[in-house]
Amino acid sequence: GRASCDVQLHHKCHTLPEPALERPGKEEASSKGSQQLSAAADLPMQPTEYYPSTSMPMSGWMQPCRSCRQWTSHDMELPVCKGAYTVVEEVPLCRRCQVKVRRALEK
């Protein structure tokens, strides 16, 4: 037996159907937009910090790999020494370096 699935796929593009979204009236949309703008205006602007000699922001989703310094969006949870304590942190590591670290930890 093959397990049946309740989700029907579109026959043309093999994707899930999109849920119907209710759009707010013009009055609701304009009041929400002005509330969001006023809330954003209240926050102080923080200057964006960039990695030296790049246009890559330090708080972005791309980070340099801690091992080879290649740009990556991947990370790995590793034990990191913080003084007398060891804590688990997400460390940016590219896929190639993740494989190397896993092999080294297995030994």
Side-chain angles (χ1 to χ4, degrees):
R2 199 171 169 188
S4 66
C5 182
D6 293 337
V7 178
Q8 296 275 329
L9 295 177
H10 284 282
H11 67 284
K12 289 183 181 178
C13 59
H14 302 292
T15 59
L16 293 172
E18 292 185 23
L21 298 175
E22 290 185 28
R23 296 179 186 232
K26 288 184 180 179
E27 299 82 29
E28 293 175 32
S30 64
S31 67
K32 283 184 181 178
S34 63
Q35 287 173 354
Q36 289 174 347
L37 288 176
S38 65
D42 294 341
L43 297 174
M45 289 294 295
Q46 297 290 330
T48 303
E49 294 184 45
Y50 295 91
Y51 285 99
S53 302
T54 71
S55 60
M56 300 295 276
M58 288 190 172
S59 61
W61 58 276
M62 294 287 286
Q63 302 286 319
C65 172
R66 287 268 177 94
S67 179
C68 69
R69 308 304 293 167
Q70 174 181 329
W71 291 106
T72 183
S73 63
H74 303 289
D75 52 27
M76 183 176 186
E77 289 186 350
L78 290 174
V80 177
C81 294
K82 297 270 184 169
Y85 301 100
T86 302
V87 295
V88 176
E89 280 188 8
E90 287 187 359
V91 177
L93 281 175
C94 68
R95 293 288 187 187
R96 178 178 284 172
C97 292
Q98 284 183 16
V99 171
K100 292 177 184 178
V101 168
R102 283 190 190 104
R103 286 182 181 157
L105 291 174
E106 288 175 358
K107 291 181 180 181

